[in-house]
Amino acid sequence: RSRNSLTLFHEVAKRVPAYREFLKEHGIQAKNIHTREDFEKIPITNKAGYLKKYPLADLCWDGSLARPAVFSSTSGSTGKPFYFQRLPNLEEEYSILAELFLGNGEHVPGPKNPTLVIIGFGMGVWVGGTLTYRAFDIASRRAYPVSILPAGVNKTEILKALHDLAPSFKQTIIIGYPPFVKDIIDEAEFEGINIKALNIRFLFAAEAFSEHFRDYLAKKVGIKNVYRDTLNIYGTADIGAMAFETPTAILIRRLAMKNKKIFARVFGDTNKTPTLAQYNPTFVSFEAPKGEILLTGYSAVPLVRYAVGDRGGVHTFDELKTIFEESGINLEKEAKKHEVPLYELPFVYVYERSDLA
């Protein structure tokens, strides 16, 4: 992780005008940053002290906006929205997550299992809708063929699709903001749609939810394996779908929720329900000094030790495995019991925004 972060740091210091100026203002010489310990002393960047301080072009590679890219905007929940230019790598990275999710279900998309993907995120300037569409489109062409309905935040259209279109498919994947998805399922039942016959799976983003919420929806639609058939993304307009629930992460969170000592060791002293996600350190890396989530990752606006505005922490897979072992719980046995694949990726957990307006 430190090697990838260090490599990106040196590239950004060389090619991004705003970051060169940022380091100069803080008295940092890039040539002196060699180790992980050096890297962790680099000043933190954020929206106020970095992104909004410099011209947009200067925040991009080589100080230029002249590249094939897509713009997305932050939601404005922490103040004035900010526009991010997105490179295709974020779509490719998200497509790997989409491919994992598609391949984990009981009915793997293919000739015998036609699959409908209904995207219920906003399809405008926000990152969720368009990025999710591109990711599933790429995954569909590369590995698992699916049909995509980019319905957007349109409850009437989604209900109509569940009634008229979904019965023609072996399974339907509903993607959206958790409370919005709950509304759809509740209203579908009220409208007399036989939702249990549709083999529904869920992909969520933008908000944490409890295991009770997961179980509620799973029971409503008849999901047999919540570890494989539900997934919550930890994403942001800043750098896309940066971390995500895996069957492993869901298993660990559900086990931790049943044991106060384990919960405290995994998530710290909090009465909130954190989202626990895993991430690919080849794409993005996380730190959490003093509980502040920092990320380092590549895009049109590359980010180095960037405070995304969330509180939480990080763990390696081995750290969590050891915590459970010391409490007498064998993760491999639990995974086998619940038919859960173990992904040995690092973890990030998030339990609240630090700057919500």
Side-chain angles (χ1 to χ4, degrees), residues 88-97 134-135 138 142 283:
N89 71 291
L90 297 187
E91 298 169 355
E92 290 286 345
E93 291 167 15
Y94 189 171
S95 77
I96 294 172
L97 151 61
R134 285 290 297 133
I138 293 168
R142 183 177 59 222
F283 301 150

Side-chain angles (χ1 to χ4, degrees), residues 7-128:
T7 302
L8 181 61
F9 163 76
H10 285 289
E11 277 293 299
V12 175
K14 185 190 303 180
R15 293 179 50 200
V16 177
Y19 198 66
R20 278 203 307 269
E21 185 62 27
F22 175 81
L23 292 178
K24 185 179 177 181
E25 289 175 3
H26 286 84
I28 302 294
Q29 291 189 319
K31 65 181 182 180
N32 295 330
I33 307 300
H34 303 293
T35 66
R36 179 177 176 179
E37 288 71 26
D38 295 336
F39 181 81
E40 290 173 353
K41 295 174 184 175
I42 298 169
I44 293 169
T45 57
N46 55 31
K47 280 192 179 72
Y50 180 64
L51 295 183
K52 294 184 178 181
K53 187 176 178 180
Y54 302 98
L56 181 58
D58 286 354
L59 294 164
C60 297
W61 293 105
D62 305 314
S64 174
L65 290 168
R67 62 176 54 83
V70 177
F71 270 104
S72 294
S73 170
T74 57
S75 65
S77 61
T78 58
K80 186 179 177 182
F82 187 87
Y83 290 98
F84 283 95
Q85 206 180 40
R86 182 172 84 233
L87 295 182
N89 71 291
L90 297 187
E91 298 169 355
E92 290 286 345
E93 291 167 15
Y94 189 171
S95 77
I96 294 172
L97 151 61
E99 188 176 323
L100 283 171
F101 185 66
L102 291 171
N104 265 339
E106 181 182 356
H107 309 291
V108 177
K112 294 182 180 180
N113 296 319
T115 298
L116 176 65
V117 176
I118 299 176
I119 300 175
F121 292 135
M123 296 304 298
V125 69
W126 307 280
V127 70

Side-chain angles (χ1 to χ4, degrees), residues 286-307:
F286 289 94
E287 309 164 64
K290 299 179 181 178
E292 181 179 29
I293 299 291
L294 307 180
L295 68 88
T296 298
Y298 177 93
S299 189
V301 177
L303 301 171
V304 178
R305 302 204 79 217
Y306 175 72

Side-chain angles (χ1 to χ4, degrees), residues 316-333:
T316 66
F317 177 84
D318 287 340
E319 283 171 355
L320 289 191
K321 185 180 176 184
T322 298
I323 288 172
F324 279 90
E325 282 176 353
E326 290 174 353
S327 295
I329 297 174
N330 185 301
L331 276 184
E332 281 90 351
K333 285 184 179 178

Side-chain angles (χ1 to χ4, degrees), residues 255-268:
L255 290 172
M257 297 292 284
K258 296 176 182 177
N259 187 310
K260 289 183 179 179
K261 288 183 179 178
I262 292 177
F263 185 91
R265 290 189 66 185
V266 174
F267 299 118

